[in-house]
Amino acid sequence: MIYFQSLTQSELAELLLPLSRVRRPGDLTDEMIDDKCRRQARYRAKQLFHWVYQKHETDWDQMSDLSKDLREWLKTNVEICRLKEHTKQDSLDGTLKFLWNLGDSKTIESVIIPAALQEKDEVDSNQDETDAATSSITPSLYAGKRVEGGLQGAQWSRLTACISSQVGCAMACKFCLTGIQGLDRHLQTHEIVTQVHELRRIAPITNIVFMGMGEPLHNLDNVAKACQILLDQDGMSFSKRKITVSTSGLVPAIVELGKRVDVSLAISLNATTDEQRSHIMPVNKKWPIAELLKACREYPLGAHRRITFEYVMLKDFNDTLEDAARLVRLMRGIPSKINLIPFNEHSGAEFKRPTDDTVRKFQRYLLDRELTATVRISRGRDILAACGQLRSVFGTARGTERHRDWAPAPAASTTGSVTSLNLLN
Ligand code: SAH
Ligand code: SF4
Protein backbone atom coordinates (compact mmCIF):
# COMPACT_ATOMS: atom_id res chain seq x y z
CA MET A 1 0.00 0.00 0.00
CA ILE A 2 1.12 3.50 -0.85
CA TYR A 3 -0.12 6.47 1.14
CA PHE A 4 -1.92 8.96 -1.06
CA GLN A 5 -0.46 11.87 0.90
CA SER A 6 3.08 10.75 0.12
CA LEU A 7 2.65 11.44 -3.59
CA THR A 8 3.05 14.61 -5.61
CA GLN A 9 0.54 14.95 -8.41
CA SER A 10 3.13 14.00 -11.02
CA GLU A 11 4.21 10.93 -9.04
CA LEU A 12 0.57 9.89 -8.83
CA ALA A 13 0.20 10.33 -12.59
CA GLU A 14 3.26 8.10 -13.16
CA LEU A 15 1.70 5.48 -10.92
CA LEU A 16 -1.57 5.62 -12.85
CA LEU A 17 0.09 5.48 -16.26
CA PRO A 18 -0.05 1.68 -16.68
CA LEU A 19 -3.82 1.90 -16.11
CA SER A 20 -4.39 4.30 -19.00
CA ARG A 21 -6.37 2.92 -21.94
CA VAL A 22 -6.65 4.40 -25.42
CA ARG A 23 -9.61 3.62 -27.69
CA ARG A 24 -8.83 2.27 -31.16
CA PRO A 25 -5.03 2.26 -30.68
CA GLY A 26 -4.62 0.79 -34.19
CA ASP A 27 -5.34 4.22 -35.73
CA LEU A 28 -2.51 5.86 -33.81
CA THR A 29 1.27 5.89 -33.83
CA ASP A 30 3.13 4.72 -30.72
CA GLU A 31 4.00 8.29 -29.91
CA MET A 32 0.39 9.38 -30.10
CA ILE A 33 -0.69 6.51 -27.88
CA ASP A 34 1.98 7.33 -25.35
CA ASP A 35 0.95 10.97 -25.34
CA LYS A 36 -2.74 10.15 -24.89
CA CYS A 37 -1.98 7.74 -22.04
CA ARG A 38 0.12 10.35 -20.27
CA ARG A 39 -2.59 12.97 -20.61
CA GLN A 40 -5.19 10.57 -19.28
CA ALA A 41 -3.01 9.67 -16.27
CA ARG A 42 -2.39 13.34 -15.53
CA TYR A 43 -6.09 14.08 -15.75
CA ARG A 44 -6.94 11.27 -13.36
CA ALA A 45 -4.27 12.38 -10.89
CA LYS A 46 -5.80 15.85 -10.94
CA GLN A 47 -9.29 14.44 -10.35
CA LEU A 48 -7.97 12.46 -7.40
CA PHE A 49 -6.25 15.50 -5.89
CA HIS A 50 -9.59 17.32 -6.05
CA TRP A 51 -11.49 14.47 -4.41
CA VAL A 52 -9.05 13.87 -1.61
CA TYR A 53 -7.75 17.34 -0.75
CA GLN A 54 -10.61 19.62 -1.76
CA LYS A 55 -13.70 17.48 -1.20
CA HIS A 56 -12.14 15.48 1.65
CA GLU A 57 -13.54 12.23 0.28
CA THR A 58 -11.98 9.13 1.81
CA ASP A 59 -14.05 6.42 0.11
CA TRP A 60 -12.82 5.55 -3.38
CA ASP A 61 -16.30 4.27 -4.28
CA GLN A 62 -17.79 7.73 -3.76
CA MET A 63 -15.51 9.27 -6.39
CA SER A 64 -18.22 9.10 -8.99
CA ASP A 65 -16.33 10.37 -12.02
CA LEU A 66 -13.64 7.67 -11.81
CA SER A 67 -13.95 4.41 -13.71
CA LYS A 68 -14.81 1.27 -11.77
CA ASP A 69 -11.46 -0.28 -12.74
CA LEU A 70 -9.54 2.63 -11.35
CA ARG A 71 -11.53 2.60 -8.11
CA GLU A 72 -10.84 -1.11 -7.66
CA TRP A 73 -7.15 -0.56 -8.32
CA LEU A 74 -7.02 2.29 -5.81
CA LYS A 75 -8.69 0.12 -3.16
CA THR A 76 -5.93 -2.43 -3.30
CA ASN A 77 -2.96 -0.14 -3.88
CA VAL A 78 -3.44 3.28 -2.32
CA GLU A 79 -4.47 4.27 1.20
CA ILE A 80 -5.62 7.69 2.36
CA CYS A 81 -3.75 8.22 5.61
CA ARG A 82 -5.68 9.36 8.68
CA LEU A 83 -4.10 10.39 11.97
CA LYS A 84 -5.64 9.08 15.15
CA GLU A 85 -6.44 11.74 17.70
CA HIS A 86 -4.81 10.98 21.04
CA THR A 87 -5.66 14.21 22.84
CA LYS A 88 -7.32 17.46 21.84
CA GLN A 89 -7.28 20.58 23.94
CA ASP A 90 -8.88 23.89 23.23
CA SER A 91 -7.69 27.08 24.79
CA LEU A 92 -9.64 30.09 25.96
CA ASP A 93 -8.01 32.13 23.19
CA GLY A 94 -9.24 29.82 20.41
CA THR A 95 -5.99 27.89 20.04
CA LEU A 96 -6.64 24.22 19.42
CA LYS A 97 -3.92 21.69 20.07
CA PHE A 98 -3.80 18.07 18.92
CA LEU A 99 -1.64 15.19 19.95
CA TRP A 100 -1.78 12.55 17.20
CA ASN A 101 -1.00 8.86 17.38
CA LEU A 102 1.10 7.69 14.45
CA GLY A 103 0.91 4.17 13.03
CA ASP A 104 3.81 3.03 15.24
CA SER A 105 2.21 4.54 18.39
CA LYS A 106 4.62 7.47 18.47
CA THR A 107 2.97 10.82 19.11
CA ILE A 108 3.31 14.26 17.52
CA GLU A 109 1.68 17.63 17.99
CA SER A 110 -0.07 20.11 15.71
CA VAL A 111 -1.75 23.33 16.75
CA ILE A 112 -4.31 25.60 15.13
CA ILE A 113 -3.60 29.21 16.04
CA PRO A 114 -6.30 31.69 15.10
CA ALA A 115 -5.59 35.38 14.60
CA ALA A 116 -8.57 37.64 15.17
CA LEU A 117 -9.86 39.98 12.50
CA GLN A 118 -9.43 42.83 14.93
CA GLU A 119 -5.74 42.06 15.25
CA LYS A 120 -5.38 42.24 11.50
CA ASP A 121 -7.33 45.48 11.27
CA GLU A 122 -5.08 47.08 13.85
CA VAL A 123 -2.01 46.17 11.86
CA ASP A 124 -3.49 47.03 8.51
CA SER A 125 -4.53 50.46 9.68
CA ASN A 126 -0.82 51.24 9.65
CA GLN A 127 -0.71 52.68 13.10
CA ASP A 128 2.28 52.60 15.36
CA GLU A 129 2.95 48.93 15.94
CA THR A 130 3.92 49.26 19.56
CA ASP A 131 0.70 51.04 20.37
CA ALA A 132 -1.18 48.32 18.56
CA ALA A 133 0.81 45.63 20.31
CA THR A 134 0.00 46.98 23.73
CA SER A 135 -3.58 47.99 23.06
CA SER A 136 -6.36 46.30 24.90
CA ILE A 137 -7.91 44.52 21.92
CA THR A 138 -6.67 41.06 22.66
CA PRO A 139 -7.43 41.02 26.36
CA SER A 140 -10.98 42.15 25.64
CA LEU A 141 -11.36 39.41 23.09
CA TYR A 142 -9.80 36.62 25.04
CA ALA A 143 -9.27 37.30 28.70
CA GLY A 144 -11.09 34.67 30.64
CA LYS A 145 -13.74 34.32 27.93
CA ARG A 146 -14.31 31.40 25.68
CA VAL A 147 -14.08 32.40 22.04
CA GLU A 148 -17.51 32.40 20.39
CA GLY A 149 -18.32 30.68 17.13
CA GLY A 150 -15.45 28.16 17.12
CA LEU A 151 -12.86 28.10 14.40
CA GLN A 152 -15.42 28.36 11.64
CA GLY A 153 -16.47 31.76 12.98
CA ALA A 154 -15.99 34.81 10.82
CA GLN A 155 -13.87 36.65 13.35
CA TRP A 156 -10.62 35.04 12.27
CA SER A 157 -8.44 36.69 9.69
CA ARG A 158 -5.97 33.85 9.72
CA LEU A 159 -5.95 30.27 10.91
CA THR A 160 -2.39 29.06 11.16
CA ALA A 161 -1.53 25.38 11.37
CA CYS A 162 1.66 24.85 13.34
CA ILE A 163 2.91 21.40 12.37
CA SER A 164 5.65 18.96 13.36
CA SER A 165 8.39 17.62 11.14
CA GLN A 166 9.96 15.03 13.44
CA VAL A 167 9.14 12.96 16.50
CA GLY A 168 11.32 14.89 18.95
CA CYS A 169 14.38 16.83 17.78
CA ALA A 170 18.12 16.21 17.67
CA MET A 171 19.23 19.84 17.91
CA ALA A 172 19.24 20.00 21.72
CA CYS A 173 18.52 23.70 22.12
CA LYS A 174 18.77 24.35 25.83
CA PHE A 175 15.53 26.29 26.23
CA CYS A 176 13.32 23.91 24.24
CA LEU A 177 11.31 21.05 25.68
CA THR A 178 11.34 19.15 22.38
CA GLY A 179 15.13 19.53 22.29
CA ILE A 180 15.39 18.03 25.74
CA GLN A 181 13.34 15.03 24.58
CA GLY A 182 15.86 14.15 21.85
CA LEU A 183 15.14 12.77 18.37
CA ASP A 184 13.02 9.69 18.01
CA ARG A 185 12.55 9.63 14.22
CA HIS A 186 11.86 11.74 11.13
CA LEU A 187 8.27 12.10 9.97
CA GLN A 188 7.48 10.66 6.57
CA THR A 189 6.05 12.93 3.88
CA HIS A 190 2.52 11.61 4.34
CA GLU A 191 2.67 12.16 8.10
CA ILE A 192 3.54 15.82 7.53
CA VAL A 193 0.94 16.38 4.82
CA THR A 194 -1.74 14.53 6.78
CA GLN A 195 -1.40 16.86 9.78
CA VAL A 196 -2.58 19.72 7.57
CA HIS A 197 -5.14 17.50 5.85
CA GLU A 198 -6.67 16.57 9.22
CA LEU A 199 -6.69 20.17 10.43
CA ARG A 200 -8.34 21.30 7.19
CA ARG A 201 -11.26 19.00 7.98
CA ILE A 202 -11.71 20.92 11.22
CA ALA A 203 -11.09 24.51 10.13
CA PRO A 204 -10.32 26.54 6.99
CA ILE A 205 -6.58 26.71 7.62
CA THR A 206 -4.96 29.63 5.77
CA ASN A 207 -1.30 29.43 6.81
CA ILE A 208 1.20 26.73 7.68
CA VAL A 209 4.27 27.09 9.87
CA PHE A 210 6.79 24.33 10.52
CA MET A 211 7.20 25.41 14.12
CA GLY A 212 5.88 22.39 15.95
CA MET A 213 8.15 19.58 17.04
CA GLY A 214 11.35 18.90 15.20
CA GLU A 215 13.91 20.59 12.99
CA PRO A 216 12.36 20.63 9.50
CA LEU A 217 15.67 21.01 7.70
CA HIS A 218 17.08 17.94 9.43
CA ASN A 219 14.32 16.12 7.55
CA LEU A 220 14.71 18.08 4.33
CA ASP A 221 13.60 15.45 1.78
CA ASN A 222 10.27 14.81 3.45
CA VAL A 223 9.65 18.45 4.34
CA ALA A 224 10.44 19.77 0.84
CA LYS A 225 8.21 17.15 -0.74
CA ALA A 226 5.41 17.84 1.73
CA CYS A 227 5.65 21.54 0.84
CA GLN A 228 5.36 20.68 -2.85
CA ILE A 229 2.17 18.69 -2.14
CA LEU A 230 0.72 21.43 0.08
CA LEU A 231 1.40 24.02 -2.63
CA ASP A 232 -0.32 22.02 -5.39
CA GLN A 233 -3.09 24.19 -6.80
CA ASP A 234 -5.25 21.13 -7.50
CA GLY A 235 -4.84 19.94 -3.92
CA MET A 236 -4.74 21.99 -0.73
CA SER A 237 -3.55 24.94 -2.78
CA PHE A 238 -1.58 26.95 -0.25
CA SER A 239 0.28 29.94 -1.57
CA LYS A 240 4.06 30.03 -1.21
CA ARG A 241 3.83 33.09 1.02
CA LYS A 242 1.62 31.19 3.43
CA ILE A 243 3.98 28.31 4.15
CA THR A 244 6.88 29.08 6.48
CA VAL A 245 9.69 26.67 7.27
CA SER A 246 11.43 27.54 10.54
CA THR A 247 14.96 26.38 11.19
CA SER A 248 17.55 26.57 13.91
CA GLY A 249 20.12 27.18 11.17
CA LEU A 250 21.30 24.14 9.20
CA VAL A 251 23.10 26.19 6.58
CA PRO A 252 23.56 23.67 3.72
CA ALA A 253 19.92 22.61 4.07
CA ILE A 254 18.76 26.24 3.88
CA VAL A 255 20.54 26.55 0.55
CA GLU A 256 19.05 23.26 -0.64
CA LEU A 257 15.54 24.20 0.49
CA GLY A 258 15.77 27.38 -1.59
CA LYS A 259 16.64 25.28 -4.64
CA ARG A 260 13.89 22.72 -4.19
CA VAL A 261 10.80 24.65 -3.19
CA ASP A 262 9.54 28.23 -3.01
CA VAL A 263 8.35 28.86 0.56
CA SER A 264 8.96 31.47 3.25
CA LEU A 265 11.82 31.05 5.66
CA ALA A 266 12.08 31.69 9.40
CA ILE A 267 15.32 31.51 11.34
CA SER A 268 15.44 30.87 15.08
CA LEU A 269 18.24 33.30 15.79
CA ASN A 270 17.70 33.72 19.53
CA ALA A 271 21.08 35.34 20.26
CA THR A 272 23.43 37.94 18.81
CA THR A 273 26.94 36.66 19.53
CA ASP A 274 28.40 33.25 18.70
CA GLU A 275 29.33 32.65 22.32
CA GLN A 276 25.81 33.33 23.50
CA ARG A 277 24.15 31.40 20.66
CA SER A 278 26.42 28.36 20.96
CA HIS A 279 25.56 28.22 24.64
CA ILE A 280 21.84 27.72 23.96
CA MET A 281 21.94 26.23 20.43
CA PRO A 282 24.67 23.64 19.76
CA VAL A 283 23.99 23.94 15.99
CA ASN A 284 25.76 27.30 16.14
CA LYS A 285 29.11 25.58 16.80
CA LYS A 286 28.86 24.04 13.36
CA TRP A 287 27.31 26.97 11.49
CA PRO A 288 28.01 30.23 13.31
CA ILE A 289 25.97 33.40 12.94
CA ALA A 290 27.99 34.89 10.04
CA GLU A 291 27.54 31.75 7.92
CA LEU A 292 23.87 31.56 8.80
CA LEU A 293 23.22 35.17 7.82
CA LYS A 294 25.19 34.74 4.60
CA ALA A 295 22.83 31.88 3.65
CA CYS A 296 19.90 34.16 4.51
CA ARG A 297 21.24 36.93 2.26
CA GLU A 298 21.52 34.43 -0.57
CA TYR A 299 18.16 32.74 -0.01
CA PRO A 300 16.00 33.19 -3.12
CA LEU A 301 13.27 35.45 -1.73
CA GLY A 302 10.63 36.52 -4.19
CA ALA A 303 9.61 40.15 -4.52
CA HIS A 304 8.34 41.80 -1.33
CA ARG A 305 9.19 38.86 0.86
CA ARG A 306 11.16 38.91 4.04
CA ILE A 307 12.83 36.38 6.29
CA THR A 308 11.35 36.08 9.76
CA PHE A 309 13.89 36.00 12.57
CA GLU A 310 12.58 34.45 15.74
CA TYR A 311 14.13 35.63 18.95
CA VAL A 312 13.17 33.76 22.12
CA MET A 313 13.66 36.23 24.94
CA LEU A 314 15.38 34.74 27.96
CA LYS A 315 15.56 36.76 31.17
CA ASP A 316 19.00 38.23 31.90
CA PHE A 317 20.51 36.22 29.05
CA ASN A 318 19.63 37.92 25.75
CA ASP A 319 17.12 40.61 26.69
CA THR A 320 19.22 43.77 27.13
CA LEU A 321 19.39 46.81 24.89
CA GLU A 322 23.00 45.84 24.02
CA ASP A 323 21.52 42.63 22.59
CA ALA A 324 18.98 44.71 20.69
CA ALA A 325 21.74 46.94 19.29
CA ARG A 326 23.70 43.90 18.08
CA LEU A 327 20.52 42.50 16.54
CA VAL A 328 20.01 45.73 14.59
CA ARG A 329 23.57 45.45 13.23
CA LEU A 330 23.15 41.79 12.27
CA MET A 331 19.97 42.52 10.34
CA ARG A 332 21.63 45.09 8.06
CA GLY A 333 21.06 44.26 4.42
CA ILE A 334 18.62 41.42 5.08
CA PRO A 335 14.92 41.89 4.29
CA SER A 336 13.70 40.83 7.71
CA LYS A 337 10.99 40.93 10.30
CA ILE A 338 11.68 40.04 13.87
CA ASN A 339 9.41 37.94 15.97
CA LEU A 340 10.12 38.35 19.68
CA ILE A 341 8.93 35.35 21.67
CA PRO A 342 8.96 35.77 25.45
CA PHE A 343 10.26 32.46 26.80
CA ASN A 344 7.53 29.99 27.64
CA GLU A 345 8.66 28.64 30.98
CA HIS A 346 8.86 24.92 31.71
CA SER A 347 10.57 22.96 34.41
CA GLY A 348 13.07 21.41 32.00
CA ALA A 349 14.96 24.66 31.42
CA GLU A 350 17.09 26.92 33.55
CA PHE A 351 15.68 30.08 31.96
CA LYS A 352 12.98 32.53 32.97
CA ARG A 353 10.67 34.76 31.01
CA PRO A 354 11.60 38.46 30.99
CA THR A 355 9.08 41.00 32.26
CA ASP A 356 6.62 42.50 29.79
CA ASP A 357 8.31 45.84 30.30
CA THR A 358 11.70 44.43 29.24
CA VAL A 359 10.10 42.87 26.16
CA ARG A 360 8.39 46.14 25.22
CA LYS A 361 11.60 48.16 25.60
CA PHE A 362 13.48 45.68 23.43
CA GLN A 363 10.75 45.88 20.79
CA ARG A 364 10.66 49.69 20.97
CA TYR A 365 14.43 49.83 20.41
CA LEU A 366 14.09 47.77 17.22
CA LEU A 367 11.06 49.69 15.94
CA ASP A 368 12.87 52.99 16.47
CA ARG A 369 15.60 51.71 14.18
CA GLU A 370 13.16 50.87 11.43
CA LEU A 371 13.05 47.16 11.95
CA THR A 372 9.73 45.35 11.88
CA ALA A 373 9.42 43.71 15.27
CA THR A 374 6.38 41.98 16.66
CA VAL A 375 5.91 40.24 19.97
CA ARG A 376 4.37 36.82 19.80
CA ILE A 377 1.99 36.10 22.59
CA SER A 378 2.25 32.63 24.05
CA ARG A 379 -0.96 31.42 22.57
CA GLY A 380 -2.74 28.59 24.22
CA ARG A 381 -0.62 28.69 27.34
CA ASP A 382 -3.48 27.20 29.30
CA ILE A 383 -3.36 24.10 27.08
CA LEU A 384 0.39 23.38 26.94
CA ALA A 385 0.62 24.77 23.42
CA ALA A 386 4.31 25.55 23.52
CA CYS A 387 6.61 23.38 21.49
CA GLY A 388 6.77 19.85 22.86
CA GLN A 389 4.74 20.50 25.97
CA LEU A 390 1.62 18.48 25.25
CA ARG A 391 3.64 15.48 24.20
CA SER A 392 5.80 15.69 27.29
CA VAL A 393 2.79 15.37 29.54
CA PHE A 394 0.51 12.98 27.64
CA GLY A 395 2.66 11.45 25.02
CA THR A 396 5.49 9.02 24.59
CA ALA A 397 8.32 11.48 24.95
CA ARG A 398 11.59 10.38 26.38
CA GLY A 399 12.26 12.38 29.49
CA THR A 400 8.56 12.44 30.24
CA GLU A 401 9.08 11.59 33.87
CA ARG A 402 11.26 14.60 34.32
CA HIS A 403 8.48 16.85 33.12
CA ARG A 404 5.46 15.36 34.81
CA ASP A 405 5.58 18.20 37.28
CA TRP A 406 5.33 20.76 34.53
CA ALA A 407 2.18 22.82 34.91
CA PRO A 408 0.70 25.31 32.49
CA ALA A 409 0.51 28.94 33.45
CA PRO A 410 -2.85 29.82 34.97
CA ALA A 411 -5.50 30.70 32.41
CA ALA A 412 -5.67 34.29 33.59
CA SER A 413 -2.18 34.90 32.23
CA THR A 414 -3.01 33.45 28.84
CA THR A 415 -3.06 36.83 27.23
CA GLY A 416 -0.43 38.70 29.17
CA SER A 417 -0.25 42.38 28.48
CA VAL A 418 1.98 42.04 25.46
CA THR A 419 -0.06 40.79 22.57
CA SER A 420 0.91 39.51 19.21
CA LEU A 421 0.23 41.25 15.97
CA ASN A 422 1.27 39.88 12.65
CA LEU A 423 1.37 36.56 14.41
CA LEU A 424 3.60 34.22 12.47
CA ASN A 425 2.78 35.83 9.18
N1 SAH B 1 13.13 23.51 14.99
C1 SAH B 1 12.64 24.66 14.37
C2 SAH B 1 11.13 24.80 14.45
C3 SAH B 1 10.45 24.37 15.70
S1 SAH B 1 10.79 25.34 17.12
C4 SAH B 1 13.30 25.90 14.92
O1 SAH B 1 13.98 25.82 15.93
O2 SAH B 1 13.15 26.95 14.29
C5 SAH B 1 9.77 26.75 16.83
C6 SAH B 1 10.16 27.98 17.61
O3 SAH B 1 9.85 27.80 19.00
C7 SAH B 1 11.65 28.31 17.54
O4 SAH B 1 11.82 29.65 17.14
C8 SAH B 1 12.12 28.13 18.97
O5 SAH B 1 13.19 29.01 19.23
C9 SAH B 1 10.86 28.41 19.77
N2 SAH B 1 10.82 27.83 21.11
C10 SAH B 1 11.18 26.59 21.49
N3 SAH B 1 10.97 26.43 22.82
C11 SAH B 1 10.45 27.60 23.29
C12 SAH B 1 10.02 28.05 24.57
N4 SAH B 1 10.07 27.27 25.64
N5 SAH B 1 9.55 29.31 24.67
C13 SAH B 1 9.46 30.11 23.58
N6 SAH B 1 9.85 29.72 22.34
C14 SAH B 1 10.34 28.49 22.20
FE1 SF4 C 1 14.70 21.49 17.84
FE2 SF4 C 1 13.71 23.90 17.20
FE3 SF4 C 1 13.52 22.94 19.71
FE4 SF4 C 1 15.89 23.69 18.77
S1 SF4 C 1 14.12 25.03 19.11
S2 SF4 C 1 15.46 21.80 19.91
S3 SF4 C 1 15.74 23.06 16.67
S4 SF4 C 1 12.55 22.09 17.91
Side-chain angles (χ1 to χ4, degrees):
M1 277 286 196
I2 298 169
Y3 285 113
F4 186 89
Q5 292 97 330
S6 70
L7 299 167
T8 62
Q9 196 180 155
S10 50
E11 285 173 344
L12 180 60
E14 278 301 314
L15 205 63
L16 299 178
L17 191 56
L19 303 175
S20 292
R21 298 278 173 273
V22 175
R23 262 191 242 152
R24 289 190 292 140
D27 300 350
L28 305 168
T29 64
D30 286 354
E31 232 169 67
M32 286 156 89
I33 293 173
D34 188 54
D35 186 52
K36 274 196 164 229
C37 286
R38 284 192 181 280
R39 264 191 283 151
Q40 192 180 100
R42 277 204 300 270
Y43 181 70
R44 284 173 157 184
K46 189 177 188 157
Q47 281 176 305
L48 280 163
F49 260 56
H50 282 183
W51 276 113
V52 175
Y53 291 127
Q54 297 186 353
K55 298 185 188 157
H56 295 290
E57 186 54 70
T58 50
D59 181 354
W60 303 119
D61 278 330
Q62 296 303 314
M63 304 187 185
S64 49
D65 55 1
L66 304 181
S67 69
K68 188 152 188 305
D69 285 357
L70 175 57
R71 282 185 267 143
E72 289 305 318
W73 183 87
L74 287 164
K75 271 189 229 173
T76 44
N77 293 289
V78 184
E79 183 176 337
I80 298 170
C81 176
R82 297 295 312 260
L83 294 176
K84 230 169 96 202
E85 192 180 298
H86 177 294
T87 314
K88 177 171 86 180
Q89 293 196 320
D90 61 337
S91 167
L92 292 169
D93 64 12
T95 305
L96 197 55
K97 178 153 187 162
F98 295 86
L99 189 69
W100 306 109
N101 265 333
L102 303 174
D104 57 2
S105 79
K106 312 266 182 214
T107 52
I108 50 160
E109 304 171 354
S110 337
V111 188
I112 301 177
I113 309 166
L117 265 184
Q118 271 175 282
E119 291 183 35
K120 183 169 187 290
D121 292 345
E122 294 276 344
V123 173
D124 290 351
S125 68
N126 210 13
Q127 60 171 287
D128 180 289
E129 292 204 31
T130 307
D131 291 350
T134 54
S135 76
S136 60
I137 51 157
T138 302
S140 69
L141 255 179
Y142 300 141
K145 282 193 236 155
R146 197 152 280 280
V147 172
E148 301 297 326
L151 291 173
Q152 303 291 339
Q155 76 268 40
W156 307 120
S157 65
R158 244 188 347 261
L159 286 169
T160 301
C162 177
I163 59 170
S164 298
S165 55
Q166 296 178 312
V167 184
C169 182
M171 309 313 290
C173 301
K174 256 197 186 156
F175 51 83
C176 173
L177 199 49
T178 308
I180 292 165
Q181 291 163 11
L183 177 67
D184 201 325
R185 69 169 172 88
H186 292 315
L187 291 187
Q188 298 300 305
T189 304
H190 68 274
E191 292 168 326
I192 298 171
V193 172
T194 306
Q195 289 174 66
V196 184
H197 198 193
E198 291 292 350
L199 298 181
R200 267 265 168 115
R201 291 173 205 275
I202 296 158
I205 302 295
T206 58
N207 295 49
I208 300 170
V209 293
F210 283 82
M211 293 183 190
M213 292 165 59
E215 167 49 58
L217 296 191
H218 186 205
N219 186 15
L220 179 68
D221 288 344
N222 288 306
V223 166
K225 191 168 167 197
C227 288
Q228 254 180 300
I229 296 169
L230 294 166
L231 288 165
D232 194 311
Q233 296 304 295
D234 295 312
M236 282 190 262
S237 187
F238 283 93
S239 100
K240 56 195 176 191
R241 283 166 177 269
K242 305 239 159 131
I243 300 182
T244 302
V245 172
S246 174
T247 178
S248 57
L250 279 68
V251 168
I254 293 174
V255 178
E256 192 55 34
L257 179 76
K259 286 183 193 157
R260 291 200 200 176
V261 63
D262 188 2
V263 289
S264 300
L265 184 66
I267 303 285
S268 296
L269 188 62
N270 299 342
T272 53
T273 68
D274 281 324
E275 193 193 353
Q276 206 183 24
R277 193 164 191 268
S278 296
H279 181 70
I280 52 172
M281 301 180 73
V283 66
N284 194 70
K285 293 177 193 152
K286 193 146 190 195
W287 294 292
I289 292 174
E291 276 185 48
L292 175 58
L293 296 185
K294 180 170 177 284
C296 291
R297 284 194 184 86
E298 291 166 4
Y299 189 77
L301 288 173
H304 313 300
R305 287 167 76 194
R306 292 188 277 181
I307 295 177
T308 301
F309 287 87
E310 296 158 282
Y311 192 92
V312 177
M313 293 192 67
L314 307 167
K315 188 175 185 324
D316 300 329
F317 180 79
N318 64 0
D319 61 351
T320 67
L321 293 185
E322 287 81 64
D323 291 290
R326 279 193 295 269
L327 185 53
V328 171
R329 283 198 291 278
L330 290 176
M331 290 298 104
R332 272 190 202 136
I334 305 178
S336 63
K337 46 188 172 180
I338 293 163
N339 211 331
L340 301 172
I341 317 173
F343 178 59
N344 208 340
E345 290 179 14
H346 55 84
S347 64
E350 68 202 56
F351 299 103
K352 293 266 173 277
R353 182 189 180 93
T355 63
D356 288 353
D357 190 46
T358 306
V359 175
R360 265 199 296 274
K361 282 189 179 130
F362 198 98
Q363 183 193 26
R364 178 81 265 167
Y365 186 94
L366 302 177
L367 292 173
D368 286 346
R369 280 143 193 91
E370 319 229 306
L371 284 175
T372 303
T374 54
V375 178
R376 195 198 306 169
I377 192 175
S378 293
R379 303 293 291 270
R381 282 181 72 198
D382 55 328
I383 57 160
L384 319 174
C387 186
Q389 288 179 349
L390 188 62
R391 179 170 174 260
S392 78
V393 176
F394 295 101
T396 53
R398 288 206 293 271
T400 296
E401 291 307 320
R402 270 164 68 198
H403 300 291
R404 283 261 187 245
D405 59 335
W406 188 89
S413 66
T414 301
T415 54
S417 57
V418 183
T419 65
S420 164
L421 294 159
N422 274 345
L423 180 89
L424 303 174
N425 192 17

